[in-house]
Amino acid sequence: MALATAGAALAQPVNTGHLETELVAEARGVAPGQTIHAALRQKIQKGWHTYWRNAGDSGEPSKIEWTPPPAGWTTGAFVWPTPHRLPVGPLVNYGYEGEVLLPFAVTAPATARPGETVTLSGTAYFLVCEEICIPEQGVVKLSLPVTAGPAPADPKWGPAIRAALAAAPKRAGLAAAFEKRGERLALAVTGPALKGADLAEAYFFPFEPGLIDHAAPQAIERGPEGLTLTLAPGDEFQVQPGPRALAGVLSLGGAAYEVAAPMGPLPSGAGGLGPPPAKSALGAGSAGLGLPMAALFALLGGLILNLMPCVFPILAMKAASLAGHAHEGATARKQGLAFGAGVVASFLVLAGALIALQAAGAAVGWGFQLQSPPVVAGLALLMLAVALNLSGVFEVGLSLQNTGSGLAGRGGVAGAFFTGVLAVVVAAPCTAPFMAPALGWALTQTPAAALSVFLALGVGFALPFVAVAFAPGLLARLPKPGPWMDAFKKALAFPMYGAAAWLVWVLTQQAGADGLARILAAAVVLAAALWLAGAAQRRRLAGGRSLPLAAAAGALALVALVAAIVPRYALATPGAAPSGATAAVPYEPWSPERVAALQAEGRPVFVNFTAAWCVSCQVNDRVAISRDGVAKAMAAQNIAYLKADWTQKDAVIAAELARHGRAGVPLYLVYGAQGGAPRILPNILTEGTVIKALEAAARS
């Protein structure tokens, strides 16, 4: 800074090559002892950018090296506006595009003499980048008259600088802390400014480099008082003991706050409500649903769920049960109500577990239980036991209905109840039309609203069977019980064997060859146990001593169950499955960064959110996606195919599903060549539907 003689406030723009810069002030002068704000203005060439105080993975922040000031005159540090994320290939930088003001304070000494003019001057340095980065610099000056009293505001730059200061990140008295969770960091922030705020675009910009992996997605978990972000640690955490605090800016899109988070216990109220729905999902997803519409969608989805492939084995068992009691009206009605009660109770228990897990901070959705190898192994053994019962290896009751549960009561009512439970268990891998938006909405609402939606889903699923049980005209048309039912019962065993085999395949995708060996060994032991149980039953009926055989059967069954579910499974490494390059339609693993990079290249993108345990996903893959016509359409239009595999738990995939108003898979997104929000395809696909969507994406 230098002292000059009289003159009005003046600033001259300087063109450094790829931006125009100048110093501007909020007022036309400054009084002795007064502090005003000036700003370094950058008007950046289209397609180029400069950097924030922490440039991210690469880059350098803008700065000014001032000429020595006269005694008493001071300038403050930049008040940095909230930056934007700038993906560059696999990297993510933080900076600015277009026009930006970097405000700073200017303080005049009390000894400044009115009538003089002070010229602020210095050299401004910028790293300006597009595909290449160019260091640029320019000498900037601003002349400020010293006035006897506060000077009037500059009509052009006064409002602009005040707006920049108002929009800059604020210290809002937020409570924050972070802790390590395995290979991730959990940053929790609470406070009045966050309560009830829109958190869909929440993002943490650290002040210092190396604290987080800037390119890694930040999963958002909402809470009644704030939020928790899951961050990937940066290089600084590779050096022990690692940083003890995180400081930076929490941006919510429309507002931003400074955050200082020491390592320690997380503040309460920062989680438990799941990820926020995305704004882009309002039109095609679930964010616009209210409780009445969500309940209606759930009811329709439950009705359609009866027609999905995962419940075919149970449909046959329900039909056989009706035939067994078709001409006993009172019994049929009791069993219909018991079956309905089992279905509804199971859906409510499942909803309660989902809500509790989300409250504990877990990223879960519909079908979450099948992401656990022990659960999959236990279900595989259950399906095998049901199949062996249907085959006549052992008996658990006197009526066919009882074969659905293994927990039959004398009158068959308990058997009907637990057949309803079994129906819900095997329905979990399927998502019917209307279910996805309803469940996506439910899991972002209060527990009461979520339970209401799951109640409607259960009623819809149980309704056809219960309605038939109360329809005498329909029951009268069913054949009377007879020898044919024993043959039909044994035929029903084969769909259950198929269900057990499918669950074994799912376990193999999750836990690899070691998991396959364990479940096969457990299956052999369980089969032997149930064969012994059947032998004990036959010996007891013949009047012989059955206790030793029964005891051996019980011991072997316990061994099989413990071996299958208790020891921890070693999860298969993602990508260890056959490469997408050898698939019918070649694909790449999904990540938000890969989608952004492909969109930057101007390529259309098809994203398949799937899981090995999702029957609907596998059916769609075989009948609609992995087809020659789809492969040719993708090749002809240069469309990238990405697959997001949710077979195992993945918080990033769960967050992306929630962004689009979904609580589970399948989800199919098509991004157009011109970018923008994706189109969401139906849950049930045909080859023609996929090809038309791909062709439209190439044109849009």
Side-chain angles (χ1 to χ4, degrees), residues 368-386 425 496 499-512 514-524 526 557 559-571 613 647:
F368 72 96
Q369 67 273 29
L370 295 174
Q371 293 177 324
S372 168
V375 172
V376 174
L379 290 177
L381 295 183
L382 174 62
M383 297 301 158
L384 176 62
V386 171
V425 168
M496 304 309 294
W502 166 71
L503 286 164
V504 168
W505 174 77
V506 171
L507 184 65
T508 304
Q509 305 304 303
Q510 295 173 326
D514 289 345
L516 176 63
R518 272 178 59 180
I519 191 61
L520 290 180
V524 170
L526 179 64
V559 168
L561 189 61
V562 170
I565 68 175
V566 173
R568 185 179 180 87
Y569 281 85
L571 298 181
W613 44 261
T647 301

Side-chain angles (χ1 to χ4, degrees), residues 250-672:
L250 175 64
S251 172
L252 303 184
Y257 307 97
E258 291 190 7
V259 170
M263 178 181 284
L266 303 187
S268 60
L273 298 182
K279 292 180 180 179
S280 61
L282 289 175
S286 63
L289 292 179
L291 178 57
M293 187 60 69
L296 177 61
F297 275 28
L299 182 70
L300 294 173
L303 287 168
I304 299 172
L305 191 60
N306 284 278
L307 305 178
M308 302 302 287
C310 49
V311 295
F312 284 167
I314 304 303
L315 285 175
M317 293 173 64
K318 288 193 286 186
S321 174
L322 279 177
H325 299 283
H327 303 278
E328 303 171 14
T331 302
R333 288 191 292 272
K334 286 181 181 178
Q335 293 209 0
L337 289 174
F339 172 82
V343 167
V344 170
S346 299
F347 272 115
L348 291 179
V349 169
L350 191 61
L354 269 170
I355 293 168
L357 287 171
Q358 285 193 336
V364 294
W366 177 249
F368 72 96
Q369 67 273 29
L370 295 174
Q371 293 177 324
S372 168
V375 172
V376 174
L379 290 177
L381 295 183
L382 174 62
M383 297 301 158
L384 176 62
V386 171
L388 291 172
N389 172 250
L390 292 169
S391 296
V393 173
F394 72 106
E395 297 295 337
V396 292
L398 301 178
S399 68
L400 181 58
Q401 173 68 35
N402 295 339
T403 62
S405 67
L407 294 170
R410 174 178 293 182
V413 173
F417 180 90
F418 285 101
T419 301
V421 174
L422 183 61
V424 175
V425 168
V426 300
C430 283
T431 301
F434 298 103
M435 273 180 62
L439 298 187
W441 181 88
L443 293 179
T444 63
Q445 305 304 309
T446 63
L451 288 172
S452 298
V453 172
F454 274 86
L455 174 63
L457 179 63
V459 170
F461 186 51
L463 191 58
F465 183 73
V466 177
V468 170
F470 278 79
L474 292 176
L475 291 173
R477 297 189 179 190
L478 294 175
K480 294 183 178 181
W484 67 272
M485 290 190 65
D486 186 62
F488 187 44
K489 168 186 169 181
K490 289 183 169 58
L492 290 180
F494 293 97
M496 304 309 294
Y497 285 124
W502 166 71
L503 286 164
V504 168
W505 174 77
V506 171
L507 184 65
T508 304
Q509 305 304 303
Q510 295 173 326
D514 289 345
L516 176 63
R518 272 178 59 180
I519 191 61
L520 290 180
V524 170
V525 174
L526 179 64
L530 297 180
W531 174 77
L532 286 174
Q537 291 171 338
R538 290 187 291 273
R539 179 173 293 184
R540 184 171 62 252
L541 290 174
R545 188 163 175 264
S546 61
L547 183 59
L549 287 177
L556 286 176
L558 181 62
V559 168
L561 189 61
V562 170
I565 68 175
V566 173
R568 185 179 180 87
Y569 281 85
L571 298 181
T573 303
S579 169
T582 63
V585 181
Y587 63 86
E588 302 176 52
W590 170 86
S591 70
E593 295 79 18
R594 185 56 180 153
V595 172
L598 290 166
Q599 286 192 292
E601 296 173 10
R603 290 183 65 184
V605 183
F606 175 69
V607 183
N608 175 6
F609 289 82
T610 184
W613 44 261
C614 171
V615 176
S616 304
C617 304
Q618 301 306 318
V619 171
N620 281 336
D621 184 69
R622 282 157 179 76
V623 305
I625 300 175
S626 295
R627 311 293 294 182
D628 288 342
V630 172
K632 291 176 181 177
M634 287 187 177
Q637 307 293 343
N638 192 30
I639 295 174
Y641 177 22
L642 306 184
K643 185 176 287 189
D645 190 346
W646 207 35
T647 301
Q648 298 177 16
K649 294 179 181 178
D650 189 307
V652 177
I653 292 177
E656 189 69 10
L657 289 169
R659 271 178 39 81
H660 296 284
R662 295 295 187 263
V665 291
L667 173 65
Y668 305 102
L669 304 179
V670 181
Y671 293 84

Side-chain angles (χ1 to χ4, degrees), residues 1-363:
M1 291 182 289
L3 193 62
T5 57
L10 295 173
Q12 295 297 326
V14 176
N15 192 316
T16 65
H18 294 90
L19 62 80
E20 181 182 276
T21 187
E22 60 181 322
L23 292 177
V24 295
E26 67 172 335
R28 291 185 169 182
V30 58
Q34 184 187 14
T35 296
I36 66 169
H37 282 90
L40 177 66
R41 170 180 174 261
Q42 303 174 45
K43 186 177 181 180
I44 308 165
Q45 185 174 318
K46 185 177 180 180
W48 294 71
H49 59 265
T50 59
Y51 293 95
W52 186 52
R53 59 181 289 181
N54 170 15
D57 286 322
S58 63
E60 291 289 339
S62 303
K63 65 179 181 179
I64 296 178
E65 291 186 358
W66 297 104
T67 56
W73 287 84
T74 61
T75 57
F78 286 141
V79 178
W80 293 92
T82 306
H84 304 292
R85 284 170 283 176
L86 304 169
V88 182
L91 308 178
V92 169
N93 297 325
Y94 302 146
Y96 309 103
E97 297 174 309
E99 185 170 354
V100 63
L101 296 176
L102 303 183
F104 58 91
V106 177
T107 301
T111 56
R113 290 180 295 177
E116 295 178 339
T117 296
V118 171
T119 298
L120 308 178
S121 64
T123 302
Y125 295 89
F126 312 93
L127 185 63
V128 195
C129 298
E130 189 198 35
E131 293 183 358
I132 60 172
C133 289
I134 300 176
E136 297 182 1
Q137 65 185 67
V139 176
V140 290
K141 298 181 180 181
L142 174 66
S143 296
L144 282 174
V146 179
T147 58
D154 186 282
K156 179 178 181 181
W157 298 114
I161 292 175
R162 287 194 294 272
L165 291 168
K170 301 294 188 298
R171 296 177 180 175
L174 301 179
F178 85 97
E179 65 181 13
K180 293 182 180 179
R181 290 183 179 174
E183 297 182 357
R184 290 290 186 266
L185 306 175
L187 171 64
V189 187
T190 60
L194 303 184
K195 190 172 183 178
D198 182 357
L199 305 179
E201 299 179 15
Y203 190 89
F204 176 68
F205 297 93
F207 284 148
E208 301 297 331
L211 293 178
I212 68 170
D213 181 348
H214 306 107
Q218 299 183 4
I220 306 168
E221 171 75 11
R222 296 177 303 130
E225 303 293 333
L227 68 117
T228 299
L229 294 174
T230 300
L231 312 173
D235 293 339
E236 292 296 320
F237 282 92
Q238 304 303 316
V239 180
Q240 297 300 324
R244 309 300 296 178
L246 295 177
V249 170
L250 175 64
S251 172
L252 303 184
Y257 307 97
E258 291 190 7
V259 170
M263 178 181 284
L266 303 187
S268 60
L273 298 182
K279 292 180 180 179
S280 61
L282 289 175
S286 63
L289 292 179
L291 178 57
M293 187 60 69
L296 177 61
F297 275 28
L299 182 70
L300 294 173
L303 287 168
I304 299 172
L305 191 60
N306 284 278
L307 305 178
M308 302 302 287
C310 49
V311 295
F312 284 167
I314 304 303
L315 285 175
M317 293 173 64
K318 288 193 286 186
S321 174
L322 279 177
H325 299 283
H327 303 278
E328 303 171 14
T331 302
R333 288 191 292 272
K334 286 181 181 178
Q335 293 209 0
L337 289 174
F339 172 82
V343 167
V344 170
S346 299
F347 272 115
L348 291 179
V349 169
L350 191 61
L354 269 170
I355 293 168
L357 287 171
Q358 285 193 336

